[in-house]
Amino acid sequence: MDLGDLGRLLLVVGAVIVFAGQLLLTIGRLPWLGYLPGDIHLRRGNLSCSVLMGTSILLSLLLTVVLNLLLRLLNR
């Protein structure tokens, strides 16, 4: 692997990490995320557990649509 290729790879990985970080910061500010129907929150004393089934299904559907659109656009 050439050093130029390695540099490009590092830039792409860095951009993906920055994008993921910004996405996590933005998602944390959505007040309805984590409180959808199907999301379960359990609290007992100092222990709390959240099972976010509704949120997981919604994010899965959104990511499936976005990735399918990207793959169709890239294969043209």
Side-chain angles (χ1 to χ4, degrees):
M1 179 180 268
D2 186 23
L3 285 178
D5 292 335
L6 183 61
R8 284 188 203 97
L9 178 66
L10 287 174
L11 284 173
V12 168
V13 169
V16 168
I17 289 173
V18 167
F19 177 74
Q22 185 61 42
L23 184 66
L24 289 173
L25 286 173
T26 304
I27 286 175
R29 293 182 181 162
L30 296 174
W32 51 269
L33 199 63
Y35 298 101
L36 294 174
D39 292 345
I40 301 169
H41 301 279
L42 303 171
R43 290 194 181 130
R44 302 244 180 193
N46 291 337
L47 180 66
S48 65
C49 180
S50 297
V51 181
L52 306 176
M53 292 302 294
T55 301
S56 297
I57 292 170
L58 177 67
L59 290 177
S60 176
L61 288 172
L62 288 174
L63 286 173
T64 300
V65 169
V66 168
L67 290 175
N68 278 321
L69 289 174
L70 283 174
L71 287 175
R72 286 177 193 250
L73 289 174
L74 292 175
N75 284 336
R76 285 190 179 185

